[in-house]
Amino acid sequence: MKKYTYAAPCLMGTERLLSNELKFMGAENVSAENGRVFFDGDTSILARANIRSRIAERILLVAARFEAFSFEQLFQGVKSVRWSDYLPCDAKFPVTGSCLSSKLMSVPDCQAIIKKAVVESMKEYHKKDVFPESGAEYKIKFLILKDKVSVMLDTSGRPLHKRGYRAVSNDAPIKETLAAALCELSGVRRNHIVIDPCCGSGTILIEAAMKALNIAPNQNGEFAAEKWSFIPCEVWNAERQKAKDDIRRDAAFRGFGYDIDDNALEISRKNAQLAGVAEYITFEHRDLADFSEKHEYATVICNPPYGERLLDITQAEELYRTMGRVFRSRRGWRYTIICPDDDFERCFGRRADKRRKLYNGTLSCQAYIFSK
């Protein structure tokens, strides 16, 4: 089966996690850059990554990578691709992208040139001048970064962080892919007890449960590349079935979510139900100050409200002090807290055993991990 090169954009700071995830899936030649991971494989790995990846934002098929310092070089680089290998005569192929730190910085001009170059390539192969764009959609995305051009086809369509279970969310919800990254950093496994004392809409606990149960986050999703003529539908069917067969029905995972907002708790319960993990998670009305350690061992993961999100800085710092008081150092317990405030450790009262820089959207944060 023919192999391709793919690019998987991800949240800054999660590149290594995504690289490991893709290697485990069987991807080849995995290499990470800022905010994306490249890898090779056939169309089975394309489908597998879309269905199973917890960290990737989408999966892009790389049609070409080259340097361009002028519009003519951009045109010739795109035109040199045999686009007829990807696009049928009736393909709809909108072009979108971005330019960063490059000589070519006009996105609209680059869009127009790339579109024209694709058409010229198609003309040479199909020996026709008009392409109706009435069929399946093949979104072309480009990135020109420091004069290096990547031209790609978006195989995912809908962003992969949109799992489908979060029909409703509360204020400032954490992104599903970031929640999954926190679960990976926290070492969540099939037998873990995971607690989120500021659970909001339940995303962290739902992602933890799906990881523990080995539920592929997008096994029921629909992807743009399913309608593409050069990828057999059997590939998608086989990967979906494998994902369903790999679910751990006997996992001993338990999740506990606490919040003082009853509306948020109701949203959490509905989201867990949609995700198919409601029986593994208990949601209760409880104040963070009343947090207690009734379990012999547990993993606490939370995204507390903070100055730039829901609370002013004074309220946020008081919350961090409360967390430091109730999250006591204890054998068998681990705490992972994501926060953008540089003074978090001072307010919490002790230094983290590990730190990991992550981005919550465009907001730079640290994941503080206390494991001793």
Side-chain angles (χ1 to χ4, degrees):
M1 190 177 289
K2 184 176 179 179
K3 292 187 177 181
Y4 302 88
T5 295
Y6 304 100
C10 60
L11 294 172
M12 294 284 285
T14 66
E15 297 90 346
R16 190 173 71 183
L17 297 176
L18 177 55
S19 295
N20 291 338
E21 181 184 62
L22 290 167
K23 289 175 184 176
F24 185 77
M25 289 184 200
E28 302 171 7
N29 302 322
V30 179
S31 62
E33 294 184 2
N34 287 339
R36 57 181 179 167
V37 176
F38 290 95
F39 62 101
D40 295 340
D42 57 20
T43 53
S44 290
I45 195 67
L46 179 158
R48 192 176 309 147
N50 271 296
I51 291 167
R52 293 185 182 243
S53 179
R54 304 182 192 280
I55 311 294
E57 293 295 321
R58 59 180 70 244
I59 306 298
L60 307 170
L61 189 157
V62 180
R65 298 180 78 188
F66 56 90
E67 286 190 328
F69 303 95
S70 67
F71 288 129
E72 178 61 23
Q73 287 177 320
L74 177 63
F75 178 85
Q76 293 300 334
V78 176
K79 185 174 179 289
S80 68
V81 176
R82 188 163 146 167
W83 286 98
S84 56
D85 286 349
Y86 305 112
L87 310 182
C89 286
D90 63 347
K92 186 187 300 181
F93 53 102
V95 179
T96 59
S98 57
C99 306
L100 300 167
S101 305
S102 300
K103 289 188 169 54
L104 304 179
M105 288 298 290
S106 171
V107 171
D109 286 340
C110 291
Q111 284 177 287
I113 287 165
I114 290 171
K115 182 88 173 182
K116 181 179 179 181
V118 173
V119 170
E120 291 303 313
S121 172
M122 297 278 281
K123 280 182 180 180
E124 289 185 1
Y125 182 82
H126 292 291
K127 308 301 181 186
K128 57 186 294 186
D129 294 325
V130 179
F131 299 92
E133 296 198 48
S134 57
E137 188 170 65
Y138 295 68
K139 288 183 180 178
I140 296 175
K141 291 184 175 289
F142 68 89
L143 173 64
I144 305 179
L145 176 62
K146 296 180 179 178
D147 302 313
K148 294 180 179 178
V149 182
S150 298
V151 184
M152 302 158 288
L153 288 165
D154 181 3
T155 75
S156 302
R158 182 190 68 177
L160 296 180
H161 74 264
K162 294 186 176 181
R163 320 286 207 213
Y165 64 74
R166 203 161 73 181
V168 182
S169 62
N170 64 336
D171 292 337
I174 191 171
K175 208 171 189 179
E176 293 91 333
T177 43
L178 180 55
L182 292 174
C183 292
E184 186 63 38
L185 288 172
S186 303
V188 172
R189 298 292 182 265
R190 62 189 296 169
N191 63 337
H192 273 201
I193 294 170
V194 176
I195 304 170
D196 183 354
C198 310
C199 70
S201 55
T203 307
I204 289 175
L205 287 169
I206 291 169
E207 290 295 325
M210 292 174 73
K211 183 180 188 303
L213 297 164
N214 202 32
I215 296 174
N218 284 297
Q219 66 180 18
N220 297 317
E222 295 182 1
F223 308 100
E226 289 187 75
K227 298 178 181 178
W228 294 1
S229 56
F230 67 95
I231 303 177
C233 63
E234 291 79 13
V235 169
W236 297 95
N237 295 338
E239 289 300 329
R240 278 200 178 89
Q241 189 57 53
K242 286 179 186 176
K244 291 176 180 177
D245 291 343
D246 287 344
I247 294 174
R248 302 185 188 110
R249 306 290 180 184
D250 59 345
F253 172 88
R254 290 300 306 169
F256 297 90
Y258 308 129
D259 209 289
I260 58 172
D261 184 342
D262 288 327
N263 182 58
L265 292 168
E266 187 58 32
I267 290 170
S268 295
R269 293 184 185 100
K270 288 179 180 177
N271 290 345
Q273 191 72 42
L274 286 171
V277 295
E279 66 184 286
Y280 297 92
I281 307 174
T282 300
F283 294 102
E284 295 179 6
H285 182 112
R286 187 179 300 183
D287 194 294
L288 178 66
D290 298 325
F291 183 84
S292 60
E293 302 166 345
K294 62 182 180 180
H295 304 285
E296 183 179 351
Y297 63 88
T299 299
V300 175
I301 310 173
C302 67
N303 175 39
Y306 38 72
E308 296 187 35
R309 196 164 70 103
L310 297 176
L311 303 179
D312 64 37
I313 192 64
T314 302
Q315 291 173 309
E317 288 186 351
E318 183 56 36
L319 181 66
Y320 304 152
R321 292 187 185 95
T322 300
M323 295 173 78
R325 188 174 68 252
V326 299
F327 293 172
R328 295 180 298 170
S329 179
R330 181 181 173 187
R331 184 178 177 86
W333 281 70
R334 174 186 290 235
Y335 305 92
T336 300
I337 305 156
I338 185 169
C339 179
D341 293 338
D342 293 335
D343 286 338
F344 173 80
E345 288 170 302
R346 176 183 61 79
C347 296
F348 190 80
R350 63 184 189 270
R351 294 186 65 81
D353 299 300
K354 293 181 182 178
R355 297 173 200 81
R356 184 69 167 267
K357 188 173 183 179
L358 298 171
Y359 280 79
N360 191 352
T362 58
L363 186 61
S364 177
C365 298
Q366 289 280 351
Y368 297 97
I369 302 172
F370 302 85
S371 56
K372 296 178 182 177

